[in-house]
Every structure is written in C-alpha cells, then in structure tokens.
Amino acid sequence: MDSFRVLFSVVVMCSHFRFLKSLEEEAKRPGCAPFFCGALGNIGFPFTNSTHPDCGLFIVGDCERPTQKIKFNKATEWYHIYSISQSDSLTIIDQHLNKTVHNHSCTAFSNLSLPSSSFFTLKITPSITLFKCPSGVTLQSDFKYTNCPDFNIYYNRTQDSLPKDVPENCSIIQLPRKFTPAVNTEDVFSLLRDSIYVNVEVSDDCTNCYYQQKGRCEDGVNGAFHCAGAAKGSGITALILMCILTFFIWFYHKAKLQSSNISALDASELQSINYGLPIFSYKELEKATNHFDLNKELGDGGFGTVYHGILQDGREVAVKRLYENTFKRVKIFMNEIEILTRLRHKNLVTLYGCTSHLSRELLLLYEYVPNGTVAYHLYGKHARVNPLSWSTRMTIAIETASALAYLHASDIIHRDVKTANILLDKNYTVKVADFGLSRLFPSDATHITTAPQGTPGYLDPEYHFFYKLTGKSDVYSFGVVLIELISSMPPIDMKRQNNQINLANFAISQIQSGSLSELVDPALGYTSDRAIRGMINCVAELSFRCLQQNSEMRPNMEEVLAVLQGSASEKYETQYAEDVTEEVMTARKHPSLEQLMLKSCSEHHLN
C-alpha cells in the first residue's frame, strides 16, 4: 500500500511540475501571448486567431463583433461560440441544428460533423444516441418517434441500455441532450439541445509539442501524431517524460490500473475513502431508481446524472451516477466524499452513503431535496406560473452566502457555484450541492495554481485567464447568482440580443448606465414597492462588487453575507429605499466612490 502511495505521489508531482513548467514556457513563446476576443475575454492555447495560426489548434474569429465564431480545422465550418473554458469545455451553436431542433424538423436527425484528430478529442456532453431506421424496419426500444415521413427514430431511456442488434439499414446518430430531464420523453425533440456543449481534450503529446518544443501539432503519416517544427527538447523535458513513462509502465503492470475501471485502484485505498459512510450495493440503488429510469432523472451535469430513488425502508434519496469510471471521475468521486464527510451545515446537502470499491459503478447517495434547483424556479418552464417572491429570493441569497462563508472558513473553495447547484427543500431552505470540483485551500496560501474548471457564465476571469483560484473565485460566481435572483435570467442565453448573451456583462452595463430597472424581473414589484426597491438596489450594488475583474476589488464571503443580512432588515428597508439608485449610478461614473458606496450600503443596516 505504501509503495502505491509513493508511486501515485511521484506521478502527481511529475505531472504538476510539468504543468507549472508549461505555464512558465507559455510566457516565453514569442508571438503567442493570450489575446482579447470580445465577450470571450482573454484566451490562449489551444485557441488562437487567424493572425497567428501556429499559436493554437482552433481558430477563433470575429473578436471585434458582439458574437464570436470558431473553426476546428480547415475542412470544418464556422460555429458561433458564446462560452469558452480553456481546459474543459466550450458551448457552440450549429446553425442547422439550432434551426431544425427549434422547428421540430426531421432534418435535425443527422450526425454533427465535429472533427477528430490524433492530438485532440471533441466530445459532446451529454449526448443521446438515436437510431434512424426506414419506415418498414422495426427496432426494439423504449421509445419510437414516428412523425418523419420516410423513417422512424428509436431511442431508450438510458444510454447503457442500447439495442444490441441494429439492422444494417439503420443509422446511429448522436446529438446533444438537455442537461435537465424532459417532462415528455416520448417527444424526442423535448430531449434535444439546440446548442452543443463540447468537452475539449488536448493530448499530452500536443501540449508538450506546443509549450516545450515550440512546435505545431499535426496528424502525420497514417494518422499518427507529429510535432512539426519542434525545437530540440530540453533535458528537463526528457526527464519529466521519462519519469511519467517509467512509472506509467510500472503502474500498469504492477497495479493493473486501467483508466476506465475503478476496480483497478487498490481495494484498501478505495475502502479508506468511505470515511465511515454507510455502504450501499449497486443492486439496491439500481432497484431504488427503477434501473436508472430516465423519468427518474433529477438533473444532468458535466460529470454525472442524478436520479430520484426510494430505498427499501421507504426513504427518498438522490443517487448520483458518474458517466464513466475514468481516473478523473474517480478523483471527483473521492473528492466529494472527503469534502462532505468533514462538513456539517444546515445549508449544505447531506451525503448518506456510497457504493463500495467492489461495485460495478460509482454511486453517491444524498438526501432528497424535493423542490429542485433555484435555476428551475427562476427560469424553468413553470417559473412564470409560480415565481419566487423577493423575500424568498433574499432568503436564498442569505442562506447560500452563509453556506459559502462556512466553506471558506473551513478552507474549502466550492469552485462551481451556480443556481443549478443550489437546491430547495420542501420549506424552500437552501441546500448547496455538488462538491466534485471543490478544493481544499491551505490557510497560509494566497491562491492555488490549477487549470480552470467550472461552468460557463459563472467562471472568475482571473481564474480563467491566469489559473489563480482563490475564495474570491466563488465570490464572482455568487455575484452571477445574485444577478439571476434579481433578473430571473440564465447566465448565458443565445436567444437574447448580442449585448445581453452574457448576463454578468449585461448586468454591469445596465448598472453603469443607470438602467437597473430594465434588468429587474417585473414580477418582483421593483417599481411599486419602496422596500423591495431598496433591497434590490443594494443587492445589485453588491453583485457589481462581486463581479469586479480584479479579485482584490471583490468583498469576501463574510462581507457579502453581512451586507445581505443587513439589506433584508426593516431599518435598512425604510432608510435606504429611495436614494440608492442615484448614488449607485454616480459611483459607477466615478470609480473612486465605489468603496464609499459599498460602505454606505453597509452603514444603513449595521448601525
């Protein structure tokens, strides 16, 4: 066991050293500095522009226009792009798919033409597999869509229950699937997304070629990877590569670890991560979720799907099922267990248990939170029927801030704060969830250097561009949440006008121009209720502070919580309702008054 830990530590150390070396080399590569590109901000490798095509893999264009576009190689078309994360994902629009899905057109049922290469992978997540068969051909499946004139579409509830015997004249199609479960699964269009969430993975060979050898990544003879124009490798690069290669071979033969199989990790190592949690069998949780029935889905994200389940003792639970048991997913699984078992707070979701290291799949078991996500209540299908009152939204903001302040006091950064990860119980009490990306933060550190992970629209610019993760990264994301509570708008929406696609940017513009009333959800009574207007004005000012590009200009979570608690007080409501708007707009025009503005907001409720 000790040798396993030593080995794992060395591999992580080598990989981390290589990553830091890459960051150092990036600054030394002439002519390949990150560049500014419209709403996408500053971006760099693997993205580049047409002026410097050798500085990246994917060309991004129209940086001077409101909406940008991306091209994956010379042969592919341009795609509109409205969010980008340099390490993880990007969200693009295929014009044909967007139009045909929106119009429920049968021409939507064709595979997307995303390229593949020896040095990068583009994976649509999540996706749904469809089977397109001529009208006279039948296929055993859970659902059948028959509204197309020449063919039928067959599909199943889950991806792991696909038909084994598919007729040759049936084509297999993969299309982007919605993150949240559809109410009517018999209508295939209710399952499809009109935008594409793509995970981008660049191979280690290509990363080394670009950063270390100053070369270009190409597909060589017989499709093999080739580093064109590479400079002579340094001794440290060779040493690092030899380190990784040597220990990978030892790791594979000694521990028989395969990246797609959790059982490859040493049993006692995995057993130790349970931290005393109750262990549930796979069969028990499979039965509880009715074999992971699609109709039992509660939510769907980048790493797994959550299902509603009922245990044999009658308890309602939420079961998280990872997409794949890759090594990265195992680390996320272990991380969430470690984080949640050391925390106790009324506004954090409770972890009930997990499957054992011998289970065929990794499953986590949580308390069931029946009222769904804040995102669903703000802009879901039924949001307009029964909208959240302002008092409920203030309570959500305060309780979420309380949970995040507790995390930060416990040296933990959530790293994926968003309304889809804020759940509401039967009493509309907040339960912050999804700690798979969370990080332990050393108390004596100013920041952590790590590749950006999170959700487009919520990602801290400093973390995105400079790999600096701090507690203020959560503060930025929480600022977006505050704007969502004020506006009832999602953080990214391609259906909005170009200058409104990114909610954070739109909100900053509205506050600076004195047009806050145009941002506020009309259902909140902003123009008719003096007390509500005062609270919304102060929350808008607080969100503006949270969304500052420079993290040093943002308040910490304890300060955020104090302002929110004070802004909900009766004294604050009566004193501050009328005069804040003019003061806020004056402060926006005179940046030197911004600190005074937040101080004024606080003094109204702290005195």
Side-chain angles (χ1 to χ4, degrees), residues 459-506:
L459 207 57
D460 169 19
E462 274 197 3
Y463 178 35
H464 185 180
F465 304 139
F466 306 114
Y467 295 75
K468 291 175 62 176
L469 176 68
T470 70
K472 299 291 185 74
S473 301
D474 280 349
V475 172
Y476 181 92
S477 302
F478 183 72
V480 180
V481 169
L482 291 179
I483 294 297
E484 290 180 78
L485 291 172
I486 290 172
S487 67
S488 301
M489 297 180 185
I492 298 289
D493 190 352
M494 282 297 292
K495 296 182 178 65
R496 296 197 292 253
Q497 296 179 13
N498 288 339
N499 66 335
Q500 301 178 14
I501 290 174
N502 184 295
L503 181 61
N505 293 342
F506 176 51

Side-chain angles (χ1 to χ4, degrees), residues 68-251:
Q68 286 68 55
K69 61 183 182 180
I70 188 169
K71 194 177 183 68
F72 294 110
N73 59 34
K74 294 180 180 179
T76 60
E77 61 182 289
W78 287 97
Y79 294 90
H80 287 296
I81 177 171
Y82 65 92
S83 65
I84 191 169
S85 172
Q86 288 181 287
S87 66
D88 284 327
S89 62
L90 48 88
T91 308
I92 61 176
I93 293 292
D94 180 284
Q95 294 293 339
H96 172 75
L97 179 68
N98 182 271
K99 181 178 180 180
T100 54
V101 169
H102 182 74
N103 295 331
H104 286 207
S105 170
C106 289
T107 57
F109 301 118
S110 59
N111 278 310
L112 300 170
S113 56
L114 294 180
S116 60
S117 171
S118 62
F119 52 88
F120 71 81
T121 302
L122 303 176
K123 184 178 180 181
I124 300 173
T125 304
S127 64
I128 183 173
T129 302
L130 307 175
F131 298 88
K132 178 179 178 181
C133 301
S135 298
V137 177
T138 59
L139 186 64
Q140 187 65 35
S141 66
D142 296 333
F143 297 104
K144 176 183 178 181
Y145 184 79
T146 60
N147 291 347
C148 297
D150 300 321
F151 57 87
N152 295 322
I153 297 295
Y154 297 88
Y155 54 102
N156 283 352
R157 295 182 187 274
T158 60
Q159 288 290 85
D160 57 358
S161 62
L162 300 177
K164 295 181 179 179
D165 299 318
V166 180
E168 292 183 359
N169 52 353
C170 292
S171 56
I172 301 176
I173 299 168
Q174 282 198 321
L175 292 176
R177 182 170 174 262
K178 289 181 178 177
F179 284 98
T180 54
V183 176
N184 179 18
T185 53
E186 294 184 359
D187 178 11
V188 67
F189 284 101
S190 70
L191 301 173
L192 301 180
R193 299 182 72 214
D194 54 8
S195 58
I196 309 169
Y197 191 76
V198 182
N199 282 336
V200 179
E201 294 186 4
V202 178
S203 71
D204 289 341
D205 286 339
C206 180
T207 302
N208 179 67
C209 173
Y210 176 81
Y211 285 124
Q212 305 283 342
Q213 302 180 53
K214 308 298 188 294
R216 297 187 313 276
C217 301
E218 294 181 354
D219 288 316
V221 180
N222 299 324
F225 172 74
H226 174 61
C227 185
K232 186 177 180 181
S234 65
I236 188 65
T237 300
L239 178 62
I240 294 170
L241 291 177
M242 181 64 71
C243 171
I244 293 173
L245 179 60
T246 301
F247 281 102
F248 175 79
I249 294 172
W250 186 93
F251 194 78

Side-chain angles (χ1 to χ4, degrees), residues 262-280:
I262 185 175
S263 65
L265 285 176
D266 185 89
S268 58
E269 177 77 6
L270 276 173
Q271 195 170 23
S272 69
I273 71 168
N274 295 332
Y275 295 99
L277 280 175
I279 302 300
F280 293 81

Side-chain angles (χ1 to χ4, degrees), residues 56 89 116 210 230 242 263 331 360-361 366 370 439 475 536 543:
S89 62
S116 60
Y210 176 81
M242 181 64 71
S263 65
K331 288 175 65 179
R360 59 179 284 188
E361 287 192 37
Y366 305 87
R439 288 292 299 269
V475 172
I536 291 178
S543 67

